Amino acid sequence: MLFFSVFFLFSVLILRLGFVQIVYGENFKRDLERKEDITVSNPVPRGNIFDRNFHIIVDNVPKNAITFTNEGYSQSDMLITAQKLAKFIVKKTDMVTERDKRDYWMIKNPKLAEAKITDQERALYANDKLTDMDLYKLKLNRITAAELNQLTNEDIEVLAIYQEFSKGVKFIPVMVKNEGVTDKEMAVVSENLQSLPGVETTTDWDRSYAFQNTLRSVLGNVTKSGEGLPADQLEYYLARGYSRNDRVGKSQLEMQYEDVLHGNKSKTKNITDKAGNVIETHTVFAGNKGKDLVLSINMDLQMAVDKIIEEELWSAKGKPGTRLTDRAYVVLMDPNTGEILTMSGKKLVRDSKTGRTVMTDDALGTFTTTYSVGSTVKGATILTGYKTGAISPNTYFDDRGLKIKDTPLKKSYAYLGQLNEINALKKSSNVYMFHTAIRIGKGHYEYDKPLNFTNKMAFETIRNSFASFGLGTRTGIDLPNEQTGFKGQSKLPGYLLDLVIGQYDTYSAMQLAQYVSSIANGGYRMQPHIVKQIREPGRDGENIGPVLKEITPTVLNTIDAKKVWLKRVQLGFKKVMQEPGGTAYKFFKGAEYSPAGKTGTAEAFYDGPLRSHFGKEPPPVMNLSLISYAPSSHPEVAMAVLVPWAYDGKDDNRANLKIGRRVLDTYFKIKKK
């Protein structure tokens, strides 16, 4: 019986095996031979940034790095690898939290962690009264401080490495360490790669700034390897083929030109077997370094202007009434092309560590901060007066102050006599602009009587006209976060008079540069741009590559003004700087480059970083500005200078004029070289 039973069972087994082999054999064979192709993208170095003379501004510096690629390893496998790797490298643990330590303690002590759940709680879990997450939280909360203290410094270091391992997506390398990786660490890890599955030694890159802090706020930043994609733009980047741990430009120029600078990733195809093991690796695409940017900025000029601002700011701080003075801005622009030659800003701040006042770069403030600028807008006021028919060439007004009922006398800094519009610009008459505004508003002025306008659109008319020059609107510069400025909300007649002398709305230094360029070039509002060219990366890593795209001049709009009107404003601007009695003549007398321009002084209220130190009423301050272009007959450079909160009281330090003269002198001196 036993013999026949065994014989029968073996017969059934043989028949079954034969059936499986004959019927399903081919299917099983295909399953065993089945492979899966997984393509992985790897980052490439970003493009370089050059100035207009091809001096390198931003490039990439290679550095040692250690990465980990999860090829399907289990949690225990990764923990073992982390423990081994911790013996070869020093890993910072400052990012390890108490929660991380609790998780790690549970991984190291699974039995002790399980013991923290009571029989009653297990019964509730069995009856679906508690979930896995509930049990997990109970375990976490019941880990005592004493138990956490059992973790050694070595354990914490292993945990820090394990955390990096856990961030990875399958087959996507993650950075374990790329800061301060020593040659010794690289050598030891490289020698032990066979015992460290998934670990690789490689080369990472970091941004290097050849001119240190010069223009630093405008160049922007790139995310660090530990940051990855910005959370608020995650979907945007993922939809464009980025990986979560990719480094991207997160501010200013680096962010604005991310699509150009980031390059094309290399692509590697990993072929895995049914078990997920990598059996072959092929390079599909070697990748391309990011494209290079050539800026319109002249870094020699930029550094020289930075130095001028620094010296004049420190000098101004030694004079009376400058307790609130802390910043100044200069923009140099080619009025014919819109190329930005220099955008310089400096700010005095208190160092939180030393308590000392230090100078920092604030080039960003040239287009992200706005201020009352004063009389520099008067050229736009005159042209608006022409356009609306409020005045015509050679219209005269008496400069005697205006007294509107229940308001202080509104006047110029002195009585300037009978003036036409050219001399009103030369001597900076406020009253001439007031009469122009009254006519635009179709009002009637009588001494100490109320002032009303029948033209209810007077504010809009003037602001729209100013915007055609770039005042109070976006200039279109190729950088993010440009500010348009504040527009006063009240439409009382007195504020219209303030508007036409630059003491109501606020403007940026970049807007002033675009405005004066529009007058200098004969009536074309040019779009300012900081990028001049996009180029292919150099093949040898040193020489500049071929031009991929040239940024051509863009005319945003043409000023609605007759050529004769522009000529008269240009003449007034020329007299400001080249004729005795002009408000800038004393500072620009003898300048060989024939400058033209307009000065500005605005009565304002302080609204800077120390505003909270004052009560409800902020202290009154004076903002200083200057616009200019040269040579006056065929302009090649336009300039805007802005010094907010330059002084309080009556001691005018003329910082705008001192900075302006030195900057234009420097421009033409460098040009001769």
Side-chain angles (χ1 to χ4, degrees), residues 118-283:
T118 66
D119 292 339
Q120 183 180 3
E121 289 164 345
R122 293 186 192 282
L124 290 172
Y125 175 76
N127 292 320
D128 295 331
K129 301 291 185 180
L130 291 177
T131 65
D132 288 325
M133 181 56 68
D134 293 329
L135 295 185
Y136 172 72
K137 290 180 179 179
L138 289 171
K139 294 175 189 177
L140 276 181
N141 295 332
R142 289 169 183 174
I143 298 172
T144 65
E147 288 172 325
L148 281 183
N149 289 334
Q150 293 172 2
L151 296 177
T152 65
N153 291 335
E154 290 75 14
D155 288 328
I156 303 303
E157 192 171 20
V158 171
L159 170 57
I161 295 173
Y162 176 77
Q163 278 184 315
E164 301 296 344
F165 287 3
S166 302
K167 291 178 182 177
V169 179
K170 194 173 182 180
F171 296 119
I172 302 296
V174 293
M175 200 64 63
V176 177
K177 183 179 181 181
N178 65 346
E179 298 292 342
V181 180
T182 66
D183 292 338
K184 181 179 178 180
E185 287 177 327
M186 286 288 283
V188 173
V189 173
S190 297
E191 290 172 2
N192 291 274
L193 289 178
Q194 289 184 341
S195 63
L196 298 168
V199 175
E200 288 289 344
T201 53
T202 184
T203 300
D204 192 21
W205 53 268
D206 208 351
R207 287 307 235 179
S208 173
Y209 302 90
F211 295 89
Q212 298 179 340
N213 291 327
T214 303
L215 206 64
R216 189 67 186 83
S217 61
V218 168
L219 296 174
N221 294 304
V222 177
T223 57
K224 297 180 180 178
S225 56
E227 292 180 77
L229 300 178
D232 58 340
Q233 296 177 291
L234 183 61
E235 296 302 324
Y236 171 85
Y237 284 115
L238 290 177
R240 283 157 180 77
Y242 284 75
S243 300
R244 290 177 180 270
N245 61 344
D246 279 351
R247 302 175 67 184
V248 297
K250 66 177 181 179
S251 61
Q252 298 314 317
L253 196 66
E254 292 275 15
M255 182 176 75
Q256 185 76 11
Y257 286 90
E258 168 63 26
D259 290 346
V260 174
L261 291 167
H262 86 281
N264 298 314
K265 296 181 180 180
S266 64
K267 295 185 182 297
T268 303
K269 181 184 289 184
N270 293 314
I271 301 176
T272 65
D273 58 18
K274 183 181 178 182
N277 301 312
V278 177
I279 57 177
E280 293 180 55
T281 299
H282 301 293
T283 299

Side-chain angles (χ1 to χ4, degrees), residues 336-466:
N336 305 302
T337 66
E339 293 180 2
I340 299 299
L341 308 176
T342 292
M343 49 190 308
S344 182
K346 290 292 177 179
K347 185 171 17 176
L348 294 168
V349 298
R350 186 172 296 279
D351 189 300
S352 58
K353 295 180 179 178
T354 65
R356 295 180 179 178
T357 300
V358 295
M359 191 80 67
T360 62
D361 176 72
D362 191 31
L364 205 61
T366 57
F367 64 95
T368 61
T369 59
T370 62
Y371 310 90
S372 300
V373 299
S375 299
T376 46
V377 307
K378 289 178 179 175
T381 299
I382 294 299
L383 287 167
T384 305
Y386 287 148
K387 184 168 64 175
T388 58
I391 60 172
S392 57
N394 216 32
T395 297
Y396 277 81
F397 289 121
D398 188 351
D399 193 58
R400 196 172 306 279
L402 304 185
K403 180 66 175 71
I404 302 170
K405 185 175 178 62
D406 299 327
T407 64
L409 185 69
K410 299 180 80 68
K411 59 186 182 65
S412 302
Y413 57 90
Y415 177 62
L416 304 175
Q418 293 282 337
L419 298 167
N420 66 2
E421 75 280 18
I422 293 175
N423 285 325
L425 290 173
K426 170 187 171 180
K427 297 182 178 181
S428 199
S429 166
N430 286 345
V431 175
Y432 194 99
M433 308 303 151
F434 296 155
H435 283 297
T436 301
I438 291 171
R439 289 192 175 187
I440 293 172
K442 301 188 184 314
H444 176 71
Y445 167 74
E446 290 186 43
Y447 185 85
D448 206 25
K449 296 291 179 66
L451 179 63
N452 293 304
F453 297 134
T454 58
N455 178 10
K456 302 303 181 184
M457 298 298 291
F459 277 93
E460 287 75 11
T461 298
I462 293 172
R463 282 175 173 151
N464 289 340
S465 177
F466 278 23

